[in-house]
Amino acid sequence: MAVSAQSSEFGPHEGDREFSLSGTGSNDRDFNSGSFGVTGDLGWYLRDDVVAGVRQSLNYADIEGEGVSDDFWNGSTRGYMDYQFLQDRARPFVGASLGGIYGDGVKDSAFAGLETGIKYYVQTKTYFLARAEYQFLFSDTDEATDAFQDDGIWAYTVGLGYNF
């Protein structure tokens, strides 16, 4: 009973919110081009184990291609929903996101993604975050199926978060 009482002290409850600030990086399928930046999340707990929110990223990119090498700034805005497993300090999660990418050196387009990660509570409301997302880009719905295989990117995030 003491273990159950201790684990219930950590983490969010239905109605709580979360904010996280993270460092992020991404690369194309072949690891030829990449970017790094910052990401902020603001989420609302619909249940103790389900969070929905909005995520904003700002990135610096180094793009290399056929005879081209340049530096660019870009951003992305997306909504997300995650399901967290376990009710302990370590909380693995899976989820999905939908949003858009825009800026220098990228074709403004929509994307959808799948994500997985873990939150580890170091204090009752403060956690470390690690997340990996696979995002596939598309300009219209006809391109969505092909984009999953051809135009996907991986995005990685490591940061800190807080429930309030």
Side-chain angles (χ1 to χ4, degrees):
M1 192 69 162
V3 172
S4 177
Q6 181 185 15
S7 65
S8 68
E9 294 176 17
F10 292 91
H13 299 287
E14 183 176 332
D16 285 355
R17 285 176 237 128
E18 73 176 10
F19 174 75
S20 67
L21 191 57
S22 306
T24 169
S26 68
N27 58 269
D28 63 6
R29 288 183 334 147
D30 300 321
F31 294 87
N32 292 327
S33 300
S35 68
F36 67 90
V38 295
T39 298
D41 294 21
L42 181 60
W44 296 266
Y45 279 85
L46 307 176
R47 297 185 346 199
D48 289 357
D49 56 0
V50 176
V51 60
V54 65
R55 186 174 294 142
Q56 178 66 48
S57 298
L58 180 62
N59 299 296
Y60 167 78
D62 179 17
I63 309 295
E64 293 187 25
E66 296 178 25
V68 176
S69 179
D70 215 340
D71 302 332
F72 302 98
W73 288 94
N74 61 54
S76 64
T77 305
R78 57 204 178 274
Y80 70 92
M81 183 173 285
D82 291 335
Y83 174 79
Q84 297 181 111
F85 300 93
L86 308 177
Q87 294 293 317
D88 209 348
R89 292 178 86 157
R91 298 186 182 209
F93 63 87
V94 295
S97 63
L98 180 65
I101 187 169
Y102 43 84
D104 301 331
V106 297
K107 179 180 176 185
D108 294 356
S109 61
F111 69 86
L114 301 174
E115 59 191 45
T116 187
I118 190 164
K119 295 176 183 174
Y120 184 81
Y121 283 83
V122 293
Q123 295 187 358
T124 57
K125 298 289 184 182
T126 305
Y127 58 88
F128 285 116
L129 166 69
R131 178 177 58 241
E133 302 174 61
Y134 184 75
Q135 303 167 345
F136 53 100
L137 309 171
F138 52 92
S139 297
D140 58 45
T141 55
D142 292 339
E143 295 179 7
T145 303
D146 293 336
F148 184 78
Q149 296 175 351
D150 299 334
D151 295 327
I153 59 172
W154 286 97
Y156 316 103
T157 303
V158 176
L160 292 172
Y162 183 73
N163 298 123
F164 57 99

